[in-house]
Amino acid sequence: MNFNAKTGESDKLRSACVVVGISESRRLSPAAEQLDKASRGQLGALLKSADIDTGCGKTTLIHQPKGRIQATRILVVGCGKNKKLSVQEFGKIVAAAAKSLQSGSATEAVSFLTDLDVEDRDQAWKAQRTVETTHDALYRFDELKSDAKPPRHPLRRLTVAVSDRASLAATRQGVKRGIAVARGIELARTLGNRPGNLCTPGNLADQAKALKKDYPALKVQVLEERSMQKLGMGALLSVSRGSREPAKLIVMQYNGGSKNARPVVLVGKGVTFDSGGISIKPGAAMDEMKFDMCGAASVFGTVSAVAEMKLPLNLVGIVPATENLPDGDASKPGDIVTSMSGQSIEILNTDAEGRLILCDALTYANRFKPDVVVDIATLTGACVVALGHHTTGLLSNDQDLANELLEAGQTSGDRAWQLPLWDEYDEQISSNFADMANIGGRGAGTITAGCFLARFTKDYRWAHLDIAGVAWKSGHAKGATGRPVQLLTQFLMNRCA
Ligand code: BES
Ligand code: MN
Ligand code: ZN
């Protein structure tokens, strides 16, 4: 799908469909006002007769509008009753427009939705969001269906239009970034959606090498189990020993910044299937544990978006990739292993495997002399209990870094909420037999997992994003969401501003 930016009046741009928003107050946006005039009051009349639904995200298609309008159709999207839209409402409106266009017969359209007022957001943001949300709304995962039926008249081009020339540059910039982020989200969703028999650790390593083909600026390195052994990654290897698929430690480097600038390091949990191991999970919905590599997928998506945007910074993506399966050779509850840091870990539950692979990857991160390290992981079911499916859990040893991430979440709408890392919680992971246990008892599971990781991140500023609740959806619309690629790309963009 193609996106571009253009200036022009809503009645004068030639297209198969022009898209405008109208709120319940019937206060027309400038673009809608213009269409109303040119159509000799048709929009106003349809509003009066209640033939246009102005509820937030409701769409009405007007065929062959009256008067002198250059577009063959007008798609009106309801904007609800608020004068200023929230980020979430704007997303809902743009997604509704995209779905309506996709199911209709226009294959190309001109959108004036960026002339709506969104709380504290500028034109570049609205243009970027329009592209990301449209692309995301039209995403389908049908590579494994033999009878995939594509839409009959797919939307092929969306023009983000502005009436004033002065906003064109900002619109162009937003569209450009939107395309990059949209592709990153798509990559994260597709990797997440692939089943565990195809998306194996080895396959993820191949995906990283494939990314290098698209972005030659990337450096990609894959460490095999031999090398992990040499580095002393006993925690990571303790998880993969129950699996016939060899673990991989994938390292992707993007150097867009100055030579001496310390990199941001992203570490993504890449458990391509989590059965729980010997502490095996109950059967219900176990298929969803193929999504246990969504942290890794978000690192892939973010690295690709940053390379596409050519952001002036240095970025390292590290993905420890493994399966977690039961086997005669698998780790057993009570086993004690030594991590790369030298600290020993008593594995009281083999299902708390994410922290075991992350701790060695986090120790490895040190060699890149990071400015900051952010890990992203579907780490705890407890996070879903605490924050549901709307919000990412955030824990950090540095409040400035935490604030940067919280703000990036607010700006992008891909939000996170902070939980504390206090000493009382850390005491919960003490062990009688080793330096620490890999679980912390019943209470505060997300925080004790954070405390575990914090013991491996003392040398640098670090934050942990627990995406267990947001990385995928269950039920009817089951599938990976691509979160938190928007949060991460926003965070990195802010660091370049
Ligand atoms: N991948 C899971 C966490 C998870 C569970 C994410 C359900 C999303 C939905 C993780 O490896 C895990 O199994 N965590 C355990 C930790 C426990 C044994 C301390 C959990 O949350 O139950
Ligand atoms: Mn687990
Ligand atoms: Zn897991």
Side-chain angles (χ1 to χ4, degrees):
M1 159 130 202
N2 276 299
F3 294 96
N4 64 320
K6 221 183 222 174
T7 45
E9 306 288 345
S10 55
D11 57 326
K12 297 200 183 69
L13 285 176
R14 202 174 285 281
S15 92
C17 189
V18 56
V19 185
V20 290
I22 298 184
S23 65
E24 269 169 35
S25 65
R26 298 196 199 152
R27 208 173 44 93
L28 300 186
S29 66
E33 183 76 62
Q34 191 91 13
L35 285 176
D36 188 49
K37 269 197 207 134
S39 68
R40 299 190 305 267
Q42 189 181 14
L43 287 186
L46 288 169
L47 278 169
K48 216 169 190 180
S49 62
D51 284 306
I52 287 178
D53 191 340
T54 53
C56 185
K58 300 287 188 220
T59 54
T60 310
L61 187 64
I62 303 165
H63 298 273
Q64 293 167 335
K66 293 184 183 154
R68 306 165 281 95
I69 288 176
Q70 294 302 314
T72 342
R73 304 168 186 80
I74 302 175
L75 179 65
V76 179
V77 191
C79 297
K81 49 182 174 301
N82 298 331
K83 269 211 167 121
K84 286 211 170 194
L85 299 170
S86 68
V87 170
Q88 277 69 26
E89 285 167 327
F90 185 67
K92 199 168 161 186
I93 289 161
V94 174
K99 290 200 168 123
S100 167
L101 288 168
Q102 182 81 331
S103 61
S105 51
T107 56
E108 151 279 317
V110 171
S111 170
F112 279 88
L113 293 176
T114 63
D115 83 336
L116 298 168
D117 269 335
V118 184
E119 279 172 352
D120 303 326
R121 299 300 191 279
D122 59 16
Q123 178 61 21
W125 183 93
K126 287 186 281 186
Q128 183 182 335
R129 230 340 152 69
T130 299
V131 173
E132 289 166 9
T133 306
T134 301
H135 191 79
D136 202 50
L138 304 186
Y139 173 85
R140 299 147 50 88
F141 181 75
D142 50 18
E143 63 183 30
L144 299 169
K145 286 188 187 274
S146 60
D147 66 342
K149 291 186 188 71
R152 297 220 314 181
H153 306 283
L155 186 63
R156 294 224 165 79
R157 168 180 294 275
L158 187 75
T159 300
V160 180
V162 271
S163 49
D164 62 326
R165 283 219 143 262
S167 300
L168 184 61
T171 308
R172 277 212 179 109
Q173 161 91 327
V175 167
K176 220 172 143 194
R177 294 193 154 172
I179 293 169
V181 175
R183 286 200 188 142
I185 295 171
E186 180 182 1
L187 176 61
R189 292 183 72 175
T190 294
L191 293 179
N193 285 333
R194 287 197 182 132
N197 61 325
L198 302 179
C199 178
T200 56
N203 177 261
L204 278 181
D206 293 344
Q207 293 298 323
K209 289 174 192 154
L211 209 54
K212 197 193 148 45
K213 290 221 176 80
D214 291 340
Y215 304 105
L218 293 180
K219 271 203 283 189
V220 174
Q221 196 193 355
V222 177
L223 273 71
E224 306 293 333
E225 290 190 347
R226 273 179 269 111
S227 315
M228 299 176 212
Q229 196 86 52
K230 276 199 197 127
L231 288 162
M233 296 184 162
L236 201 176
L237 288 167
S238 78
V239 177
S240 73
R241 58 181 295 151
S243 158
R244 297 185 192 187
E245 294 286 341
K248 308 277 174 183
L249 187 71
I250 303 161
V251 182
M252 296 168 276
Q253 279 178 273
Y254 164 81
N255 291 316
S258 69
K259 225 175 161 187
N260 315 319
R262 289 177 169 246
V264 173
V265 177
L266 302 177
V267 178
K269 173 178 174 183
V271 174
T272 59
F273 188 77
D274 180 14
S275 72
I278 297 298
S279 314
I280 199 161
K281 288 180 181 294
M286 208 209 267
D287 65 289
E288 296 188 8
M289 282 298 120
K290 73 173 184 177
F291 294 120
D292 211 17
M293 36 58 69
C294 282
S298 77
V299 172
F300 277 84
T302 302
V303 168
S304 83
V306 165
E308 174 85 32
M309 288 190 273
K310 302 196 170 77
L311 287 187
L313 54 74
N314 297 332
L315 179 67
V316 182
I318 304 179
V319 169
T322 177
E323 296 181 325
N324 185 25
L325 292 174
D327 181 78
D329 201 34
S331 293
K332 306 168 289 297
D335 285 2
I336 294 179
V337 297
T338 304
S339 64
M340 182 180 173
S341 72
Q343 300 177 91
S344 62
I345 304 163
E346 184 183 15
I347 303 173
L348 288 177
N349 189 318
T350 65
D351 198 11
E353 84 297 341
R355 62 199 78 181
L356 294 173
I357 69 169
L358 289 171
C359 71
D360 280 341
L362 287 165
T363 302
Y364 188 75
N366 229 333
R367 70 175 52 204
F368 298 100
K369 302 202 173 9
D371 178 22
V372 297
V373 178
V374 180
D375 78 72
I376 308 101
T378 48
L379 205 63
T380 63
C383 195
V384 190
V385 177
L387 297 170
H389 294 287
H390 309 292
T391 310
T392 294
L394 164 66
L395 299 100
S396 178
N397 64 11
D398 183 277
Q399 196 52 43
D400 290 336
L401 174 59
N403 291 343
E404 275 185 57
L405 288 159
L406 289 169
E407 197 195 315
Q410 290 287 358
T411 304
S412 64
D414 185 1
R415 288 186 292 195
W417 193 256
Q418 193 176 5
L419 298 169
L421 275 180
W422 292 324
D423 292 346
E424 300 90 305
Y425 296 104
D426 182 73
E427 284 165 25
Q428 286 181 231
I429 56 170
S430 66
S431 158
N432 283 343
F433 305 106
D435 296 343
M436 71 196 87
N438 77 330
I439 55 170
R442 277 196 57 74
T446 304
I447 300 176
T448 54
C451 289
F452 181 96
L453 298 177
R455 292 185 181 213
F456 299 84
T457 57
K458 298 224 187 285
D459 294 339
Y460 46 70
R461 299 163 63 201
W462 155 80
H464 160 60
L465 297 174
D466 193 329
I467 57 167
V470 303
W472 74 89
K473 291 194 168 101
S474 312
H476 171 65
K478 194 193 283 186
T481 61
R483 287 181 72 181
V485 169
Q486 281 176 316
L487 184 160
L488 292 168
T489 48
Q490 186 70 53
F491 164 71
L492 294 167
M493 273 167 47
N494 290 350
R495 290 193 132 232
C496 296

